[in-house]
Amino acid sequence: MSQPCPGAEPRGEAQQMVVDGRAPDPREARSAPELIALLRLLKDVSGLTFRELSQRAEAVGDVLPRSTIANMLGRTSVPREELLAAFVRACGCGPEQVADWLAVRKELAVRGERAGTAEVSGAEAAAGHSSGTPAAPLPEPARRRRTGAVVAAAVALVVLAAAAVTVTLLLRDDDDRPESRRVTGPVAGRAVQIRSVHSGFCLSEKRDSDSGQLYQVPCEQETIPRFSLGPLDGDAWRIVTDHPVHLKGCTGVWNGIRDAEAPLQDQECGKRGDAEEFLIEPVGRPVDGYRIRPVHTRLCVGAERNSKERGAELVQTSCDLADRGNLFSFDPVAARTADG
């Protein structure tokens, strides 16, 4: 690379790994995981958040959603060419630097394809096959579980539930937030709504999305999924989800990403290790609320940019907020019946 990628001033401990603040050289990567590690380092050097990277990409006509960035940086495979180019440009790299990253990506992709072909040929020889069509590559695991016949019924229930709360929401004054409601602590096994003390909204997935990402919505509506808490060894908790379509799962940080601004997502349990384990800590005397802290980073869960707005995403963020932006209450709700 002839020049380092221009970006924001470096900040944070990770940037000390780069001499004189220079961006990492992609040619150091000898494998796909090493390339991903360098991309994560490039993000650190840029000093930009997921949101800022997405906004910079959009400004030049690229499509780079925050969740896509988190997904890419949490994988160990070579990213798509257009995704890599958009990300590197957003980090501040010029055309020459983008070309360097793409050249390394192409080399690693070709190397991976050759390795895959060699493995298939070896397996066929061992099985006694002299020729044949290589098996099609396995599809990536579905982001969320599907249960077939239950989907249509669940959609109908969602439509009915949405219609039932429409009048209430229309009459409700949006500024009349229940911030003064009593705070309730975690209890194992009890069905709860997880309410932000800061905004008065509750955690929920979007009804028209299959990503599992969490947002804050009015607590008056039925939030999806139903949450409960399961104690783990030590002081940690698992936030268990009961979704009307995807059934049982767990809340965690998207792909186990360690960066601040990484979104929270409901997914199958066991996919993200200790990124789906949380410390739940009381704050204040009497208690003002409870911090939810992912075990793998010890950061805090909160609305993006400390937002009080309906629809704000839930992310892992700094615990150093001056107000109650990352405090929550675990409000008990009626247990789900066999019909609902």
Side-chain angles (χ1 to χ4, degrees):
M1 292 176 73
S2 56
Q3 296 292 332
C5 302
E9 286 297 319
R11 59 177 186 268
E13 295 181 2
Q15 286 82 295
Q16 299 304 316
M17 299 172 60
V18 183
V19 178
D20 297 329
R22 293 176 62 87
D25 188 341
R27 293 174 295 182
E28 296 176 1
R30 296 294 180 266
S31 65
E34 290 182 7
L35 181 67
I36 297 298
L38 290 175
L39 288 171
R40 290 174 59 85
L41 189 56
L42 178 63
K43 175 189 175 298
D44 290 337
V45 172
S46 76
L48 299 169
T49 67
F50 287 155
R51 172 173 287 277
E52 290 168 336
L53 288 168
S54 182
Q55 290 172 340
R56 287 169 65 109
E58 184 178 359
V60 297
D62 288 330
V63 177
L64 191 65
R66 294 173 58 212
S67 58
T68 301
I69 301 173
N71 196 32
M72 177 185 73
L73 297 181
R75 298 174 67 89
T76 56
S77 57
V78 175
R80 302 190 314 274
E81 183 173 326
E82 64 274 15
L83 173 58
L84 176 63
F87 176 80
V88 173
R89 275 194 291 268
C91 286
C93 293
E96 292 184 8
Q97 290 74 40
V98 172
D100 286 338
W101 284 93
L102 291 177
V104 172
R105 179 225 170 265
K106 182 176 181 180
E107 179 182 346
L108 293 176
V110 170
R111 189 183 304 170
E113 290 174 359
R114 289 173 179 167
T117 301
E119 290 177 3
V120 171
S121 298
E124 289 180 348
H129 297 299
S130 59
S131 64
T133 303
L138 293 174
E140 292 187 7
R143 180 174 292 176
R144 297 294 299 274
R145 300 176 300 281
R146 285 296 185 187
T147 56
V150 77
V151 174
V155 170
L157 288 175
V158 168
V159 171
L160 290 174
V165 301
T166 298
V167 173
T168 301
L169 294 179
L170 288 175
L171 295 176
R172 183 174 184 269
D173 183 355
D174 285 340
D175 293 327
D176 183 21
R177 304 296 186 209
E179 297 181 34
S180 60
R181 289 169 55 185
R182 183 171 63 89
V183 169
T184 307
V187 176
R190 182 170 63 186
V192 295
Q193 283 186 316
I194 303 176
R195 172 172 54 88
S196 166
V197 176
H198 177 55
S199 67
F201 286 123
C202 286
L203 275 61
S204 179
E205 297 180 29
K206 286 187 175 179
R207 297 176 184 274
D208 57 351
S209 173
D210 192 45
S211 71
Q213 195 165 343
L214 290 174
Y215 304 82
Q216 53 186 21
V217 304
C219 298
E220 287 79 1
Q221 69 187 57
E222 181 186 9
T223 53
I224 296 177
R226 187 72 60 90
F227 295 101
S228 62
L229 298 170
L232 299 170
D233 292 339
D235 298 325
W237 294 81
R238 173 167 286 157
I239 301 177
V240 181
T241 60
D242 183 7
H243 195 284
V245 176
H246 307 297
L247 306 183
K248 297 293 184 180
C250 288
T251 296
V253 177
W254 193 295
N255 276 341
I257 294 293
R258 304 184 65 86
D259 305 59
E261 302 296 323
L264 257 65
Q265 178 201 36
D266 296 327
Q267 179 60 284
E268 295 176 66
C269 297
K271 296 288 188 181
R272 295 152 297 191
D274 57 2
E276 56 188 41
E277 299 175 8
F278 298 90
L279 300 175
I280 299 178
E281 304 173 341
V283 176
R285 292 186 179 180
V287 176
D288 294 321
Y290 292 82
R291 285 176 175 164
I292 303 176
R293 304 183 65 182
V295 167
H296 75 306
T297 62
R298 302 300 175 98
L299 293 172
C300 280
V301 170
E304 59 173 343
R305 297 184 178 274
N306 200 24
S307 174
K308 281 190 173 185
E309 297 300 317
R310 174 179 178 174
E313 298 174 15
L314 272 295
V315 299
Q316 67 175 358
T317 184
S318 168
C319 296
D320 298 329
L321 299 179
D323 54 24
R324 300 182 296 170
N326 52 24
L327 299 187
F328 296 88
S329 175
F330 300 89
D331 300 340
V333 297
R336 194 185 301 276
T337 67
D339 296 329

